[in-house]
């Protein structure tokens, strides 16, 4: 190519790049700039948003509240409806225990965040298979729901927010799990197939750092922010609220959502948001992984750039610092304790006391069973204590972790029905790390778990 022509060509490229994410969320805005850029529309990126609550049940109120709140946030910042896909069980608003039928709140004295939310995948269709198919744009791979998927291309940005329970190297869905292997394989495949220019993933779950730490590559244009590091709980916020509801939200989630409501997303960078949220979420360590240069991007490139005038989803003054926060895995028990404290009649109290006692017994049973199972695999006294007392520095064998956790979930203790069991996934990870073969561990699980009948270990 002629040198001068090449210069012109390069100049156009640079210009196009700078403009790329200025006008893609033009929803509701019709300034001169937007219309004049129409021609470039075909090469410009779109922003896509995928919002997922992985739990169900009344005491898990907060996960669906987070997702509904995030839905309104991205809509108000100008992401078009067609570019947002939501997955949530949708059993909270209409729950028999909901004192505000048809409504969900995420912060004290906030407005109802359920109104207007379009749920694409509800109930039994909230599955890891559907999640991965929707994320990667595989329309033939989805089962049920609206059937919509993220139809992204090489210039597009994708924002994913997931809120639920988690454990070492896995996050939970109502009746299944998604492992660190499944997720990172999918992201790598998407990158290879040019399904996005950049992808930002915010993850609320216990031990959520373990879904990315030392696994997420730095060079596939993915930035992940997690509520906690690889070996600690995440926290529920506004757990002791005057509204008589379970914890309204998760602390990390509320902090990033409320920060996004307050800031000008055309100016705030992802790194700045990370710093703000890390400071505010001080019961756990908010972490980030992957391509940290994405931290230089403005948040608006992912959540929408439109300025929001009315900030009506949170009460006038609150801070998650002042909120009663509980570690996620203890919320079920603490809710029962709170109910006991507030109970009026003696018979009511006796009933709740009985439930609490049963819960402790189930936990004891689980721990004893789990220990004896591991002991029949590991004979050396020192190895045993290592396997129980240390957090894995990393998940060294992703395949082993994947096979073993899935086998444990399907043949021993279903994580959705026994969330307390998630606490011990690190032990399974340690077994893999110590070199025990997946086949051998899985065989042991089949043998030992044949006759388990107990459920509901919270
Ligand atoms: C919520 O409203 C109640 C009753 O109006 C009030 O007493 C309380 O202070 C408010 N709480 C917050 C956090 O604004
Ligand atoms: C889409 O999902 C189906 C069903 O899971 C699968 O067989 C197929 O390979 C997937 N296609 C792509 C392109 O990933
Ligand atoms: C979190 O920060 C608040 C406000 O600075 C402080 O009162 C609280 O003790 C801190 N909590 C922890 C666990 O550090």
């Amino acid at each position: 190519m002629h040198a001068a022509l090449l210069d012109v060509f390069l100049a156009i490229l640079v210009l196009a790049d700078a403009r790329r994410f200025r006008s893609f969320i033009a929803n509701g805005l019709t300034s001169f700039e937007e219309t004049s850029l129409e021609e470039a529309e075909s090469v410009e990126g779109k922003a896509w948003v995928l919002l997922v609550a992985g739990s169900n049940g009344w005491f898990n109120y907060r996960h669906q509240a987070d997702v509904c709140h995030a839905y309104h946030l991205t809509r108000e910042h100008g992401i078009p409806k067609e570019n947002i896909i939501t997955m949530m069980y949708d059993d909270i608003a209409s729950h028999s225990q909901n004192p505000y039928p048809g409504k969900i709140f995420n912060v004290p004295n906030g407005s109802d965040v359920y109104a207007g939310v379009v749920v694409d995948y509800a109930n039994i269709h909230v599955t890891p298979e559907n999640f991965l198919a929707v994320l990667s744009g595989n329309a033939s791979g989805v089962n049920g729901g609206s059937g919509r998927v993220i139809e992204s291309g090489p210039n597009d940005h994708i924002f994913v927010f997931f809120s639920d329970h988690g454990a070492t190297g896995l996050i939970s869905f109502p009746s299944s799990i998604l492992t660190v292997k499944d997720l990172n394989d999918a992201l790598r495949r998407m990158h290879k197939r040019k399904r996005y220019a950049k992808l930002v993933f915010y993850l609320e779950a216990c031990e959520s750092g373990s879904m990315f730490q030392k696994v997420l590559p730095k060079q596939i244009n993915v930035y992940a922010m997690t509520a906690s590091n690889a070996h600690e709980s995440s926290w529920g916020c506004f757990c002791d609220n005057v509204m008589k509801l379970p914890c309204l939200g998760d602390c990390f989630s509320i902090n990033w959502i409320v920060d996004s409501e307050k800031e000008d997303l055309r100016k705030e960078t992802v790194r700045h948001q990370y710093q703000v949220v890390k400071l505010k979420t001080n019961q756990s360590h908010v972490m980030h992984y992957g391509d940290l240069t994405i931290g230089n991007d403005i948040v608006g490139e992912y959540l929408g750039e439109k300025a929001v005038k009315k900030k009506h989803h949170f009460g006038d003054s609150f801070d998650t610092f002042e909120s009663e926060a509980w570690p996620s895995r203890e919320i079920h028990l603490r809710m029962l304790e709170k109910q006991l404290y507030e109970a009026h009649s003696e018979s009511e109290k006796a009933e709740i006391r009985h439930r609490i006692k049963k819960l402790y017994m189930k936990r004891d049973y689980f721990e004893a069973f789990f220990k004896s199972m591991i002991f029949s695999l590991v004979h050396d006294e020192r190895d045993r204590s290592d396997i129980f007392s240390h957090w894995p520095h990393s998940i060294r064998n992703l395949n082993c972790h994947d096979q073993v956790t899935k086998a444990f979930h399907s043949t021993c203790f279903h994580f959705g029905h026994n969330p307390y069991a998630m606490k011990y996934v690190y032990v399974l990870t340690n077994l893999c790390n110590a070199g025990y073969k997946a086949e051998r561990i899985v065989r042991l699980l089949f043998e030992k778990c044949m006759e388990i009948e107990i459920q509901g270990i919270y």
Side-chain angles (χ1 to χ4, degrees):
M1 202 186 296
H2 193 275
L5 212 63
L6 185 67
D7 278 350
V8 172
F9 180 66
L10 286 178
I12 291 172
L13 270 190
V14 169
L15 203 71
D17 198 49
R19 284 170 165 186
R20 178 168 290 165
F21 280 98
R22 289 260 74 88
S23 72
F24 64 94
I25 320 152
N27 190 44
L29 293 177
T30 45
S31 72
F32 171 72
E33 197 196 16
E34 257 83 40
T35 43
S36 70
L37 280 172
E38 229 166 320
E39 217 180 323
E41 211 80 79
S42 58
V43 295
E44 274 168 9
K46 291 195 191 79
W48 295 87
V49 170
L50 175 54
L51 307 171
V52 187
S55 67
N56 57 3
W58 182 240
F59 285 2
N60 288 320
Y61 185 101
R62 62 194 183 282
H63 303 128
Q64 293 183 51
D66 297 337
V67 159
C68 290
H69 198 171
Y71 180 86
H72 288 291
L73 174 79
T74 50
R75 285 289 296 124
E76 281 162 16
H77 281 295
I79 306 284
K81 261 193 184 121
E82 310 82 73
N83 290 23
I84 305 175
I85 297 182
T86 52
M87 303 180 77
M88 58 186 253
Y89 204 84
D90 204 9
D91 57 337
I92 297 300
S94 59
H95 201 282
S96 60
Q97 292 190 57
N98 192 354
Y100 310 92
K103 293 190 166 117
I104 298 180
F105 301 92
N106 195 215
V107 293
N109 296 356
S111 54
D112 166 28
V113 288
Y114 185 68
V117 172
V118 179
V119 182
D120 288 289
Y121 296 87
N123 210 280
I124 57 163
H125 302 302
V126 183
T127 63
E129 293 77 20
N130 274 350
F131 170 71
L132 293 180
V134 169
L135 180 62
S136 56
N138 182 358
S140 65
V142 299
N143 182 1
S146 69
R148 293 174 59 228
V149 298
I150 293 184
E151 296 169 59
S152 56
N155 299 319
D156 293 353
H157 280 182
I158 301 178
F159 173 74
V160 183
F161 169 54
F162 181 98
S163 179
D164 189 22
H165 295 281
T168 308
L170 63 89
I171 49 180
S172 185
F173 280 76
S175 61
S176 192
I177 58 173
L178 180 74
T179 63
V180 55
K181 175 188 184 299
D182 290 336
L183 177 62
N184 285 275
D185 283 354
L187 293 174
R188 260 193 284 256
R189 263 199 311 275
M190 286 173 68
H191 179 252
K192 218 180 200 162
R193 293 186 185 145
K194 299 188 167 35
R195 302 293 312 185
Y196 60 83
K198 293 177 187 179
L199 187 150
V200 167
F201 200 128
Y202 284 6
L203 176 58
E204 172 86 55
C206 289
E207 290 146 36
S208 41
S210 65
M211 289 302 282
F212 300 109
Q213 183 183 285
K214 295 191 183 157
V215 180
L216 178 64
K218 291 193 187 330
Q219 66 281 5
I220 62 165
N221 305 343
V222 175
Y223 174 97
M225 196 191 300
T226 62
S228 67
N229 66 24
H231 47 79
E232 67 190 357
S233 182
S234 75
W235 290 62
C237 257
F238 306 115
C239 293
D240 193 14
N241 55 74
V242 292
M243 305 175 82
K244 298 210 180 304
L245 290 168
C247 308
L248 296 178
D250 292 281
C251 304
F252 163 76
S253 300
I254 291 180
N255 285 331
W256 78 256
I257 294 171
V258 170
D259 177 64
S260 302
E261 283 177 332
K262 284 180 181 160
E263 298 261 356
D264 179 348
L265 299 191
R266 278 170 291 197
K267 296 210 178 82
E268 186 184 28
T269 62
V270 173
R271 180 176 303 110
H272 184 259
Q273 179 154 81
Y274 166 73
Q275 284 157 351
V276 171
V277 173
K278 194 174 176 67
L279 202 68
K280 291 212 156 203
T281 314
N282 69 350
Q283 284 99 342
S284 60
H285 298 83
V286 172
M287 305 295 285
H288 58 185
Y289 303 96
D291 182 356
L292 300 187
T293 65
I294 289 176
N296 299 325
D297 292 355
I298 56 159
V299 177
E301 291 188 21
Y302 303 92
L303 301 183
E305 294 187 5
K306 207 169 124 183
V308 173
K309 284 180 210 83
K310 251 174 73 193
K311 298 171 171 63
H312 44 88
H313 289 296
F314 52 92
D316 287 340
S317 62
F318 79 86
D319 206 313
T320 55
F321 281 152
E322 291 154 25
S323 123
E324 178 83 10
W326 294 344
S328 293
R329 289 208 184 110
E330 293 303 316
I331 287 172
H332 196 92
L333 186 58
R334 299 250 185 123
M335 282 295 301
L336 287 176
E337 284 165 352
K338 191 172 150 215
Q339 284 180 359
L340 177 63
Y341 180 76
E342 287 165 356
H344 297 299
S345 71
E346 262 322 305
S347 65
E348 210 181 329
K349 280 185 184 159
E351 196 264 330
I352 298 169
R353 264 193 221 103
H354 178 70
R355 284 171 67 189
I356 292 175
K357 195 168 158 216
K358 233 166 96 180
L359 202 63
Y360 277 116
M361 283 169 66
K362 284 181 176 180
R363 285 181 171 194
D364 288 347
Y365 161 83
F366 173 79
E367 283 173 7
F369 182 91
F370 190 75
K371 273 207 170 121
S372 85
M373 187 168 70
I374 302 301
F375 280 14
S376 60
L377 187 72
V378 184
H379 300 295
D380 182 82
E381 213 39 70
R382 173 109 55 80
D383 290 350
R384 280 177 180 174
S385 100
D386 277 354
I387 277 167
F388 272 96
S389 60
H390 296 298
W391 282 99
H393 291 300
S394 60
I395 301 170
R396 283 206 285 276
N397 187 336
L398 295 186
N399 286 322
C400 176
H401 172 276
D402 181 74
Q403 287 171 43
V404 169
T405 54
K406 282 176 183 165
F408 184 81
H409 169 81
S410 62
T411 64
C412 295
F413 293 91
H414 186 291
F415 290 120
H417 303 154
N418 306 287
Y420 189 73
M422 293 182 119
K423 197 173 151 180
Y424 290 93
V425 172
Y426 79 94
V427 175
L428 301 174
T429 310
N430 280 338
L431 285 178
C432 288
N433 281 357
Y436 290 90
K437 292 268 173 298
E439 293 72 24
R440 195 166 153 214
I441 306 171
V442 170
R443 210 176 326 120
L444 171 88
L445 299 180
F446 274 114
E447 270 167 35
K448 299 281 177 187
C449 298
M450 295 265 277
E451 280 160 30
I452 295 175
E453 279 173 13
I454 204 159
Q455 268 203 22
I457 311 171
Y458 289 96

